[in-house]
Amino acid sequence: MAEEQTQGTAPSRRALIGWGGAGLALGAVAAGGAVALAKNGDGADGSGPDESGAVEFHGAHQAGIATPVQDRLHFAAFDVKTDDRAEFVQLLKDWTAAARRMTAGKAVGEGAYGGLAEAPPDDTGEALGLPPSRLTLTLGFGPSLFEKFALPHKRPAALVDLPKFPGDNLDRTRTGGDLCIQACADDPQVAVHAIRNLARIGFGKVAIRWSQLGFGKTSSTTPGSQTPRNLFGFKDGTRNIAGTETDRLEKFVWAGDGDGGAQDAWMSGGSYLVARRIRMNIETWDRTSLQEQEDVFGRDKGEGAPAGKAKEHDEPFLKAMKPGAHVRLAHPDANGGITILRRGYSFTDGTDGLGRLDAGLFFLAYQRDPRTGFIPLQRRLAAHDALNEYIQHVGSAVFAIPPGVRDADDWWGRTLLSEEA
């Protein structure tokens, strides 16, 4: 099986008992015919797994970037706890094997039940019976990872620490991270199941630093689809890069062979992710007049048309908008052509203790280089955007997203951590 070829020296299930269940066996499923098939979520009648809604895991680029945006998100940033390079590499191989199975709608390892009663099962089981739901898992490396395992010479020049922008009020407990995993799916339980299983596999080697659940995609990468709305009720991402626009993806999203110096070579085919948790002052916005709301965005609220235009996709006339209008300031024509691929989600996390919703936008932006993408764009927005009266950036992180897992013998991060590479 493909999953077996990535395991190397993965421990046996029986060895787990001696470890107190800290690890997981990710080898081949045990023999047992229909029993083994049922444990892994496959059809017990021999018809094979239900692959409906599965997104291909392998490819030149990681899925979850240009992939059509799913409805739900579970994003997690991790701190690396081990200082053993070989142990960390094995974790990435084990994570890859688990991701390969989960994105195909299969359970991790030997499944959620039917194994040794004395050992914890390989899979937590809450996604049993559910289809893949277009699950994608996307892994990234934060700047702090390159301080570990003697890797500073491999830190890409483009992976810079984000500067402090005017108006930032960052919560340290929601900022940074050595690693990230972005799980997107059309079923929230499938996305949460994926992060939970990867965290279990990494127990003792990594620990979750912070995480974010998201719903209601706020951008689309699918041409012709209805543009989603954010929690302020406005359409967002009208001019977003589509997953079919290979020329724009090559120009603005994928890292190239010639980018940076020798330390950047392993990133060819990858991308750079900026994640920002943006708190929206919902209650203040909801008491703002419709005219002011539309002036703030530079679009009408119903159709989403730019100011002075009739249709959403009409070419905007920027001078018809207020000087501080969000669209006017963020438009590529006003920023020397800066273009990023947005993949954000709305969130609500209860209240802030003062009777207000803790709600907003979990902003995710992929680009070829943050130094020429998000950073100059955000500097402009932070200084002049009228929307700043109603939002505040409270969490932040940047990650290098390595190229895709090419085949059954490849694994996440091989181009960075393989001695041969």
Side-chain angles (χ1 to χ4, degrees):
M1 294 179 63
E3 291 75 20
E4 297 175 30
Q5 299 174 12
T6 63
Q7 295 316 299
T9 57
S12 67
R13 284 180 62 86
R14 191 168 296 279
L16 299 181
I17 301 173
W19 291 3
L24 281 177
L26 292 173
V29 296
V35 174
L37 288 171
K39 286 189 296 180
N40 288 289
D42 299 347
D45 61 358
S47 61
D50 176 12
E51 295 292 340
S52 63
V55 175
E56 177 58 47
F57 179 70
H58 300 122
H61 314 291
Q62 289 195 61
I65 302 174
T67 307
V69 183
Q70 303 93 319
D71 291 334
R72 302 287 180 149
L73 166 82
H74 191 186
F75 189 98
F78 295 81
D79 289 330
V80 175
K81 297 301 183 181
T82 180
D83 57 5
D84 186 321
R85 179 188 175 109
E87 186 176 49
F88 181 62
V89 167
Q90 186 59 50
L91 169 64
L92 293 177
K93 291 180 178 180
D94 291 346
W95 268 8
T96 304
R100 185 181 285 117
R101 292 189 63 82
M102 289 189 290
T103 54
K106 301 176 182 179
V108 174
E110 296 181 13
Y113 61 93
L116 290 175
E118 298 83 4
D122 285 347
D123 190 280
T124 51
E126 70 273 24
L128 284 173
L130 298 177
S133 300
R134 295 196 299 132
L135 172 68
T136 56
L137 293 167
T138 312
L139 173 137
F141 300 130
S144 54
L145 178 75
F146 295 85
E147 300 171 7
K148 308 173 188 289
F149 311 121
L151 290 174
H153 63 293
K154 290 289 190 77
R155 177 174 172 174
L159 186 62
V160 295
D161 294 309
L162 296 179
K164 180 175 174 57
F165 299 101
D168 277 3
N169 185 23
L170 301 183
D171 181 347
R172 292 179 61 86
T173 65
R174 292 183 179 273
T175 296
D178 296 332
L179 299 169
C180 76
I181 296 286
Q182 172 194 280
C184 298
D186 289 328
D187 186 326
Q189 187 142 319
V190 170
V192 170
H193 166 264
I195 294 294
R196 180 181 175 188
N197 272 281
L198 295 177
R200 287 186 70 243
I201 294 168
F203 182 78
K205 307 174 193 69
V206 296
I208 291 182
R209 179 182 179 89
W210 55 269
S211 72
Q212 182 67 58
L213 292 172
F215 69 91
K217 59 188 178 185
T218 62
S219 297
S220 173
T221 57
T222 307
S225 65
Q226 181 174 331
T227 305
R229 293 179 183 268
N230 56 37
L231 290 183
F232 284 162
F234 278 77
K235 291 184 177 182
D236 205 351
T238 294
R239 297 176 58 87
N240 203 28
I241 300 174
T244 55
E245 295 181 296
T246 54
D247 54 339
R248 295 182 77 202
L249 290 169
E250 290 293 337
K251 183 176 181 180
F252 297 115
V253 178
W254 306 129
D257 290 333
D259 294 356
Q263 75 270 26
D264 295 67
W266 65 272
M267 273 292 292
S268 180
S271 189
Y272 294 90
L273 169 65
V274 172
R276 303 277 284 185
R277 188 178 192 270
I278 303 174
R279 172 83 181 272
M280 290 173 150
N281 299 320
I282 299 292
E283 293 76 15
T284 303
W285 180 262
D286 289 345
R287 295 193 297 272
T288 300
S289 71
L290 175 61
Q291 185 62 61
E292 182 173 345
Q293 291 183 1
E294 293 182 336
D295 287 344
V296 165
F297 272 97
R299 291 185 179 274
D300 75 66
K301 197 168 188 177
E303 167 63 25
K309 300 290 184 173
K311 298 295 183 182
E312 176 192 351
H313 294 281
D314 288 347
E315 191 65 27
F317 179 54
L318 301 183
K319 291 184 178 180
M321 304 174 189
K322 298 284 188 180
H326 180 73
V327 170
R328 179 170 179 170
L329 293 171
H331 195 279
D333 289 353
N335 293 282
I338 293 175
T339 303
I340 56 179
L341 188 155
R342 287 178 291 160
R343 200 182 169 90
Y345 288 82
S346 296
F347 70 84
T348 55
D349 290 337
T351 66
D352 63 359
L354 299 173
R356 300 174 301 193
L357 285 174
D358 181 4
L361 169 67
F362 190 65
F363 175 88
L364 297 168
Y366 289 90
Q367 63 240 273
R368 188 166 182 166
D369 189 332
R371 296 171 299 178
T372 56
F374 175 81
I375 292 175
L377 181 60
Q378 180 57 26
R379 280 190 171 128
R380 178 175 171 84
L381 292 173
H384 305 291
D385 194 351
L387 194 57
N388 292 333
E389 182 179 347
Y390 304 96
I391 65 172
Q392 188 168 58
H393 291 240
V394 296
S396 179
V398 60
F399 299 96
I401 308 298
V405 177
R406 300 290 182 131
D407 52 39
D409 296 319
D410 202 1
W411 43 278
W412 270 331
R414 176 191 56 80
T415 57
L416 170 65
L417 290 157
S418 169
E419 296 294 347
E420 293 76 13

